[in-house]
Amino acid sequence: MSCMIPEPNEPTRTVAPAQWNRLSAPTESLAQMTTFATGGKVAQYVEAYSEAELIDAIESADRDGIPLLVLGGGSNILASSTDFPGRVVRDARQEISTVFEEGCPGARMHVSAGTPWDAVVVYAIEHGWMGMEALSGIPGTAGAAIVQNIGAYGQEVAGTVVVARTYDRLTRSIRTLFLSDMALGYRASLLKDSMRAGERLKGASQSHVAARLDPHEGGHIWSYSPRWIVLDVDFQLRLASMSEPVRYGQLADLLGVEVGTRVPSTDLRAAVLELRRGKGMVLDDADRDTYSAGSFFTNPILSEVEAAALPQDAPRYSVTDATAVNQIGAAAPNVPGLVKTSAAWLISRAGFTPGFNMPGPAAISRKHSLALTNRGGARGEDIAQLARTIRDSVREQFGVTLEPEPVLVGLSID
């Protein structure tokens, strides 16, 4: 019996919950707009409340040669203390709608790019849809989630995304990107690639996805924000109030179940949030450990030969490709020849334990060795210097170069 995908329903718009983080009204410095609380004054600030306003703010900046930073939740930015001479644009649209909900194809929702990511997860769980529950509590917006291909506790956004409408800054036109276009890999995407030079980091997408679009067409590298700015995203999920199988040992232990067990999605969300709070990964104004960008470095993806050179007790995990899943809810297949190791393990073994460099102003979180934090009064330069020290020491001791996860504005750790 074949399964027909229904025609889209007229969506019922819902307003997403309030922004999860400490950001509020229009502000004058990047320090007020980022979770690191670093950065100088901005020359121009624009909040866009419609797609037309968003595109106009982007297009006019590019046309006039004004540096552009399209900001989501501000949770993936490390900015220098110098003033930003360009335009900061925030997508203030926060809308989620159900496109369809049917037994066979599952459910599909349409989300504006400025919607806080955790609101998207809550919407899915409340509607009885499976596939995002382990991504609870991740900061930022739906649009930024695609750029970064966010992931946690065995899930990646690549496992649910179907299509994204974007504004192409090169052609100055709206461009629809399908999953096969996005080249989603471990914390990587076509959109993110457009912001950096050189070869893409090793990852699933490098081996399994051949993007049809050139992120550096004409030799152009887009700084601070991608060539393709996400306008809205469609996600497709399976109808189920139970979670996907628990794939993370620490999460299974907290839930009191075996790895591979399914639990109510609400229970899994609660456990994920508890774990994240314990690691300082849920913002709390009173807790300086949360003045960070979460994990500062990505887990290195190595060849089997490179992984063999690590100490015998170094963690080694398979690399999966969520874009190769051919059934909603199925586990992603492994990518042959690649091994993922733990950045936190490398950092700790190199001598940088939680609380390193306390009291600061820049220090490693007391709760998690992957999080660099602003203890109060730190400049972006202070945090970048700490990151550089860690990166260089790990490279010297293990031959592995850690890659920063945040976007660096006016800074470099090279």
Side-chain angles (χ1 to χ4, degrees):
M1 179 178 175
S2 63
C3 183
M4 300 296 292
I5 296 179
E7 289 295 320
N9 298 323
E10 183 67 26
T12 300
R13 293 288 179 178
T14 63
V15 178
Q19 183 85 321
W20 63 272
N21 62 23
R22 56 175 71 96
L23 305 178
S24 55
T27 52
E28 62 178 21
S29 75
L30 282 171
Q32 296 169 285
M33 303 180 197
T34 61
T35 57
F36 258 128
T38 67
K41 292 183 178 181
V42 300
Q44 301 177 17
Y45 176 80
V46 177
E47 282 193 349
Y49 289 88
S50 70
E51 182 177 295
E53 290 177 351
L54 178 62
I55 292 174
D56 179 68
I58 296 166
E59 185 175 349
S60 59
D62 287 344
R63 184 181 60 244
D64 296 339
I66 300 171
L68 176 71
L69 173 60
V70 179
L71 197 67
S75 58
N76 200 41
I77 300 289
L78 177 62
S80 75
S81 59
T82 58
D83 292 347
F84 182 69
R87 178 178 298 171
V88 174
V89 178
R90 172 170 289 134
D91 184 353
R93 301 170 303 144
Q94 298 187 16
E95 297 177 320
I96 310 175
S97 60
T98 300
V99 180
F100 60 73
E101 182 176 12
E102 300 289 339
C104 190
R108 185 160 170 168
M109 62 175 157
H110 183 79
V111 183
S112 60
T115 305
W117 172 254
D118 200 49
V120 180
V121 177
V122 169
Y123 187 92
I125 292 175
E126 288 180 345
H127 283 73
W129 304 339
M130 179 187 78
M132 291 181 170
E133 54 280 353
L135 304 179
S136 293
I138 295 179
T141 60
I146 304 304
V147 177
Q148 191 72 3
N149 187 25
I150 59 171
Y153 303 111
Q155 285 183 346
E156 286 183 345
V157 77
T160 58
V161 64
V162 178
V163 65
R165 286 177 64 254
T166 70
Y167 175 73
D168 187 341
R169 297 168 64 192
L170 180 66
T171 63
R172 296 184 182 178
S173 63
I174 292 178
R175 181 67 179 261
T176 298
L177 299 181
F178 296 94
L179 179 61
S180 59
D181 297 317
M182 297 180 199
L184 298 178
Y186 171 66
R187 304 300 175 271
S189 69
L190 175 78
L191 294 84
K192 188 174 181 178
D193 281 354
S194 71
M195 300 165 60
R196 59 189 179 192
E199 294 183 3
R200 142 166 297 196
L201 303 179
K202 295 170 186 169
S205 57
Q206 185 180 47
S207 301
H208 286 254
V209 179
R212 298 175 297 176
L213 301 172
D214 180 3
H216 300 141
E217 187 175 340
H220 196 106
I221 297 172
W222 305 87
S223 56
Y224 308 137
S225 294
R227 167 184 166 181
W228 296 275
I229 303 298
V230 180
L231 301 175
D232 48 62
V233 189
D234 277 21
F235 300 95
Q236 194 156 340
L237 302 97
R238 187 173 174 180
L239 306 187
S241 60
M242 300 291 282
S243 71
E244 287 187 346
V246 178
R247 302 188 181 103
Y248 192 79
Q250 189 178 12
L251 188 56
D253 291 343
L254 183 59
L255 288 162
V257 300
E258 299 291 329
V259 171
T261 304
R262 296 177 64 193
V263 300
S265 292
T266 51
D267 291 352
L268 191 136
R269 171 177 167 78
V272 167
L273 291 175
E274 183 176 343
L275 283 179
R276 291 185 64 86
R277 288 191 185 96
K279 298 176 181 179
M281 299 295 182
V282 176
L283 286 185
D284 178 353
D285 283 348
D287 184 358
R288 297 303 305 193
D289 281 328
T290 71
Y291 284 68
S292 75
S295 297
F296 193 90
F297 295 104
T298 59
N299 289 323
I301 304 295
L302 308 173
S303 68
E304 291 178 338
V305 173
E306 291 168 330
L310 292 174
Q312 189 173 3
D313 58 340
R316 292 169 174 81
Y317 309 106
S318 58
V319 176
T320 58
D321 182 6
T323 65
V325 174
N326 56 17
Q327 181 180 351
I328 297 175
N334 293 339
V335 180
L338 296 180
V339 177
K340 180 164 63 177
T341 191
S342 167
W345 186 93
L346 293 170
I347 290 168
S348 294
R349 283 301 183 94
F352 303 96
T353 54
F356 177 85
N357 210 41
M358 291 281 285
I364 292 178
S365 166
R366 297 169 301 172
K367 302 180 178 70
H368 199 288
S369 58
L370 260 183
L372 308 189
T373 64
N374 179 354
R375 310 311 303 182
R379 303 171 305 149
E381 290 82 353
D382 299 322
I383 295 168
Q385 180 56 52
L386 176 59
R388 188 178 301 115
T389 299
I390 294 169
R391 190 268 320 266
D392 291 349
S393 182
V394 167
R395 181 164 55 195
E396 179 180 348
Q397 295 187 48
F398 300 106
V400 176
T401 300
L402 297 177
E403 296 289 343
E405 191 165 331
V407 174
L408 306 181
V409 177
L411 292 170
S412 172
I413 67 170
D414 294 328

